[in-house]
C-alpha cells in the first residue's frame, strides 16, 4: 500500500465513522451529489463541489467512488425514486381512470425548482455519448411506458377506455409528451397545470374518457 492509498483508506474510515457506518455515509454523500448537481449542473460538476456539499475532503469522497460512478449512482437512485412514487400513486386506485389521473399527476414536474425532475434531465445529455447512461435512460423510459400501458389495458378491460391505437404506442406517446413538456415546466415557460390539462386532453382523445 502506498502513502496515497493509505491516506485514502484512513480518510474513508473516518468518513464512515462520522456518518454512522458506510451505508449511512453513502446516503449522505448521495444527497451531497444531488445538491451539487443542482447547483453546478452535470457538465460543470467537480469532485471538490461534492466534497464541499458533504463537508469532507475530496479524498474522502473518492473512498466511495470517482466522479462518474457517484453521478451514475445518483441517477440510478433518482430513477428508482421517480418510478416508485409514480407506481405507488397509481396502485392506490382500482379503476383505470383514477390510475391514469394519478399517473399523469405524479409524472409532471411541480415547477422549475422540482429537484427530482431536474436531476433526471441534468443527466440526459450524457446519454448521447455514454452507453451506460443511455441504458439507464432507456430503462427509465421503458418503465414509464409499462405503467401507462398497464393502465390503458386495464381501462379497456373495465370498459372505461376505447383505445384508438395499440396500448403500447399510446403509452409511449404519453411518455414522449411528458418528456417534452417537462422541459417547458423546468424552463418556466409552462405551468404544471397547463401541462396536466394538455395530457388530460390527449387522454380523452385516445381513450374516449374525460379525466376531469
Amino acid at each position: 500500500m502506498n502513502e496515497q492509498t493509505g491516506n485514502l483508506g484512513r480518510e474513508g474510515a473516518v468518513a464512515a465513522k462520522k456518518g454512522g457506518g458506510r451505508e449511512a455515509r453513502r446516503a449522505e454523500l448521495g444527497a451531497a451529489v444531488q445538491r451539487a448537481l443542482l447547483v453546478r449542473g452535470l457538465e460543470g460538476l467537480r469532485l471538490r463541489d461534492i466534497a464541499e456539499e458533504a463537508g469532507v475532503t475530496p479524498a474522502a469522497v473518492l473512498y466511495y467512488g470517482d466522479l462518474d460512478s457517484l453521478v451514475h449512482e445518483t441517477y440510478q437512485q433518482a430513477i428508482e425514486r421517480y418510478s416508485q412514487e409514480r407506481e405507488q400513486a397509481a396502485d392506490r386506485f382500482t379503476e383505470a381512470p383514477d390510475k391514469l389521473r394519478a399517473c399523469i399527476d405524479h409524472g409532471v414536474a411541480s415547477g422549475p425548482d422540482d429537484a427530482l425532475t431536474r436531476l433526471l434531465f441534468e443527466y440526459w445529455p450524457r446519454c448521447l455519448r455514454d452507453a451506460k447512461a443511455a441504458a439507464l435512460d432507456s430503462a427509465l423510459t421503458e418503465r414509464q411506458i409499462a405503467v401507462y400501458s398497464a393502465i390503458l389495458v386495464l381501462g379497456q378491460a373495465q370498459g372505461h377506455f376505447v383505445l384508438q391505437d395499440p396500448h403500447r404506442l399510446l403509452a409511449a406517446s404519453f411518455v414522449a409528451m411528458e418528456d417534452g413538456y417537462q422541459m417547458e415546466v423546468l424552463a418556466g415557460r409552462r405551468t404544471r397545470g397547463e401541462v396536466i390539462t394538455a395530457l388530460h386532453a390527449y387522454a380523452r382523445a385516445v381513450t374516449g374518457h374525460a379525466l376531469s
Side-chain angles (χ1 to χ4, degrees):
M1 177 186 294
N2 61 35
E3 182 178 351
Q4 183 180 18
T5 304
N7 287 338
L8 291 179
R10 285 192 294 274
E11 288 203 88
V14 170
K17 183 180 290 184
K18 285 173 63 179
R22 182 179 174 85
E23 291 307 312
R25 188 55 186 167
R26 180 174 288 279
E28 292 174 6
L29 190 60
V33 175
Q34 292 182 28
R35 293 193 300 271
L37 271 169
L38 292 174
V39 171
R40 301 276 311 184
L42 180 59
E43 297 308 316
L45 187 67
R46 304 167 301 174
L47 199 66
R48 184 178 300 279
D49 300 320
I50 297 170
E52 289 175 357
E53 287 288 345
V56 299
T57 66
V61 174
L62 280 171
Y63 179 73
Y64 294 91
D66 61 19
L67 183 60
D68 282 346
S69 65
L70 290 170
V71 169
H72 184 79
E73 183 176 325
T74 297
Y75 186 52
Q76 283 182 304
Q77 293 169 351
I79 284 176
E80 188 61 26
R81 191 160 77 252
Y82 179 86
S83 299
Q84 281 189 356
E85 287 178 2
R86 162 172 267 180
E87 291 160 359
Q88 290 167 0
D91 285 345
R92 286 199 288 269
F93 301 97
T94 56
E95 296 299 309
D98 296 326
K99 285 179 174 288
L100 184 54
R101 189 181 299 107
C103 187
I104 291 171
D105 186 63
H106 281 75
V108 179
S110 60
D113 296 326
D114 188 310
L116 181 55
T117 307
R118 280 190 59 199
L119 275 175
L120 295 176
F121 276 81
E122 283 284 355
Y123 200 69
W124 186 84
R126 181 166 289 188
C127 301
L128 298 176
R129 59 182 183 277
D130 184 330
K132 190 165 71 168
L136 269 183
D137 187 69
S138 293
L140 169 62
T141 299
E142 287 301 318
R143 191 163 174 178
Q144 305 316 307
I145 289 174
V147 174
Y148 271 115
S149 186
I151 293 172
L152 293 172
V153 169
L154 177 64
Q156 194 170 40
Q158 290 177 337
H160 296 298
F161 300 159
V162 178
L163 303 184
Q164 302 302 307
D165 286 294
H167 60 86
R168 180 175 168 80
L169 175 61
L170 296 177
S173 295
F174 267 111
V175 175
M177 288 181 67
E178 278 182 358
D179 285 348
Y181 278 132
Q182 296 286 32
M183 290 300 295
E184 294 286 294
V185 175
L186 293 176
R189 292 190 292 266
R190 289 181 188 265
T191 66
R192 167 181 162 81
E194 289 172 338
V195 171
I196 289 176
T197 296
L199 289 169
H200 280 197
Y202 177 69
R204 182 174 65 251
V206 299
T207 69
H209 186 97
L211 297 180
S212 59

